């Protein structure tokens, strides 16, 4: 059974760097074709792709956020880490990580991040 | 990249069929067979309902089906049930980005 869980701060100040960790089980990120992605959803708004990392360390980023995002994986720890720099109140959202094999087929429960001074 | 266009809301009575459209361009929906559909109930994480245009993951009801024509993908829910009331999002691979793009989202209401 595949599970994923997001962790990180619930409150960050403007201009700070956000670091989120996705800890997963039930699969290996060294298996061909597998990826883990990050998606966010501001309150009452639509889903937004952030970043995706594949088993072969291929990394994909949202063009509009690319300069602020870094995604990395630690296969031995079964973790994927997303960092987002220069946080702003508009980045307030629920952040999800999800497993990708055929579509984003298993999602974490999400973690809510509020950006406020 | 621009979000894919979905109707803001679609409604239907129990037992009816409804169709949600997802309109993009030849650079995304029209150019690739990599369209997915997600269902999201309030306060919950999204759930994959359809991948690669028309494939259903194991465990998803066969009342849900996907298709594509030109630059528009569609999700059809047949035999509408109260539990189908949720938000639905499409997502597609796009050549204008190395990442996919989501649709604007559709709220389905069961009357």
């Amino acid at each position: 059974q595949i599970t994923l869980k997001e962790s990180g701060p619930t409150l960050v100040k403007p201009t700070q760097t956000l670091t989120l960790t996705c800890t997963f089980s039930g699969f290996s990120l060294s298996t061909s074709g597998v990826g883990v992605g990050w998606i966010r959803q501001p309150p009452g708004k639509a889903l937004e792709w952030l970043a995706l990392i594949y088993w072969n360390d291929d990394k994909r980023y949202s063009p509009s956020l690319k300069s602020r995002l870094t995604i990395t994986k630690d296969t031995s720890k079964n973790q994927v880490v997303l960092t987002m720099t220069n946080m702003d109140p508009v980045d307030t959202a629920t952040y999800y990580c999800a497993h990708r094999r055929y579509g984003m087929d298993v999602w974490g429960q999400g973690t809510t991040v509020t950006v406020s001074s | 990249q621009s979000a894919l266009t979905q109707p803001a809301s679609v409604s239907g009575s129990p037992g009816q069929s409804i169709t949600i459209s997802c309109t993009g361009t030849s650079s995304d929906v029209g150019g690739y067979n990599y369209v997915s559909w997600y269902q999201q109930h309030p306060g919950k994480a999204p759930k994959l309902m359809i991948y690669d245009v028309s494939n259903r993951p194991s465990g998803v009801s066969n009342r849900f089906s996907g298709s594509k024509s030109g630059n528009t993908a569609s999700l059809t829910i047949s035999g509408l049930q109260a539990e189908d009331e949720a938000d639905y999002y499409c997502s597609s691979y796009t050549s204008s980005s190395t990442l996919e793009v989501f649709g604007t989202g559709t709220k389905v209401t069961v009357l």
Side-chain angles (χ1 to χ4, degrees):
Chain A
Q1 179 194 5
I2 292 174
T3 64
L4 304 97
K5 187 171 184 179
E6 306 86 351
S7 60
T10 58
L11 179 66
V12 297
K13 291 179 170 27
T15 75
Q16 286 187 336
T17 294
L18 172 69
T19 299
L20 294 173
T21 301
C22 176
T23 303
F24 57 84
S25 63
F27 69 95
S28 171
L29 200 38
S30 59
T31 300
S32 179
V34 172
V36 171
W38 285 95
I39 300 100
R40 71 178 179 180
Q41 186 172 38
K45 295 189 176 182
L47 299 171
E48 179 185 16
W49 276 100
L50 297 177
L52 180 62
I53 189 165
Y54 285 103
W55 86 100
N56 58 358
D57 212 38
D58 180 12
K59 301 170 185 178
R60 311 288 177 95
Y61 294 101
S62 164
S64 61
L65 295 168
K66 184 175 183 178
S67 63
R68 300 173 54 205
L69 295 174
T70 302
I71 189 169
T72 59
K73 62 181 175 70
D74 187 328
T75 305
S76 65
K77 291 183 178 179
N78 281 353
Q79 291 181 333
V80 170
V81 176
L82 181 75
T83 60
M84 181 180 293
T85 61
N86 195 25
M87 293 293 285
D88 183 272
V90 300
D91 296 314
T92 293
T94 297
Y95 288 74
Y96 296 99
C97 65
H99 170 272
R100 180 184 189 84
R101 185 62 182 94
Y102 299 105
M104 304 306 287
D105 49 13
V106 184
W107 293 61
Q109 63 188 24
T111 186
T112 300
V113 178
T114 301
V115 184
S116 174
S117 55
Chain B
Q1 73 279 23
S2 298
L4 306 175
T5 302
Q6 298 180 231
S9 63
V10 173
S11 62
S13 299
Q16 285 187 331
S17 292
I18 62 169
T19 297
I20 304 167
S21 61
C22 170
T23 302
T25 69
S26 57
S27 297
D28 39 63
V29 174
Y32 308 92
N33 289 325
Y34 295 125
V35 177
S36 300
W37 288 91
Y38 300 89
Q39 175 192 64
Q40 187 180 33
H41 287 108
K44 300 295 186 182
K47 174 187 176 183
L48 178 68
M49 305 303 284
I50 296 287
Y51 66 94
D52 294 351
V53 176
S54 60
N55 293 290
R56 261 189 322 274
S58 174
V60 171
S61 170
N62 58 10
R63 298 186 298 105
F64 292 84
S65 62
S67 62
K68 190 184 83 167
S69 178
N71 295 335
T72 298
S74 299
L75 174 71
T76 298
I77 309 174
S78 58
L80 198 62
Q81 299 179 2
E83 66 205 51
D84 300 331
E85 188 162 292
D87 293 327
Y88 291 82
Y89 294 91
C90 62
S91 178
S92 172
Y93 175 81
T94 172
S95 61
S96 62
S97 164
T98 61
L99 202 55
E100 295 187 17
V101 59
F102 277 111
T104 51
T106 298
K107 181 176 180 59
V108 168
T109 301
V110 181
L111 301 171

